[in-house]
Amino acid sequence: MTYVIAEPCVDVKDTACVDVCPVDCIHPTKNDPETFEKENMLYIDPEECIDCGACEPVCPVEAIFEEAAVPEKWQEYTQINADWFQK
């Protein structure tokens, strides 16, 4: 299982989650300013995420969910997160 960033992150991109992630699986980061500016949200790499949950409580807009707990209205974000890393 992995964590997923959903719709509340769109146009917010608060990087508190990036700062606490022990495996750097949340992208883009401010260390890649070109990509960070181009994207309208952050994404969690399902292959790299270690399911630690450190990111969930620090998200100020409550956009991060365990994969099994993503609200039905935002289910498509599970695939959106995975697809971003396939680019």
Side-chain angles (χ1 to χ4, degrees):
M1 185 128 359
T2 187
Y3 279 77
V4 174
I5 298 177
E7 194 277 335
C9 184
V10 173
D11 296 328
V12 174
K13 295 191 305 189
D14 182 275
T15 58
C17 58
V18 174
D19 295 338
V20 299
C21 180
V23 294
D24 298 323
C25 70
I26 303 172
H27 296 277
T29 68
K30 291 179 180 177
N31 293 335
D32 180 3
E34 184 177 321
T35 304
F36 186 81
E37 290 302 317
K38 182 178 80 171
E39 294 296 329
N40 69 342
M41 65 176 283
L42 303 177
Y43 307 89
I44 295 177
D45 186 339
E47 298 295 319
E48 296 292 323
C49 179
I50 60 169
D51 309 325
C52 71
C55 57
E56 187 177 18
V58 299
C59 180
V61 294
E62 299 179 358
I64 301 174
F65 302 89
E66 282 185 283
E67 184 177 8
V70 175
E72 187 175 326
K73 64 184 174 182
W74 295 324
Q75 285 292 313
E76 71 271 14
Y77 282 89
T78 301
Q79 191 62 50
I80 289 169
N81 278 249
D83 288 349
W84 193 83
F85 291 94
Q86 298 304 314
K87 294 181 187 178

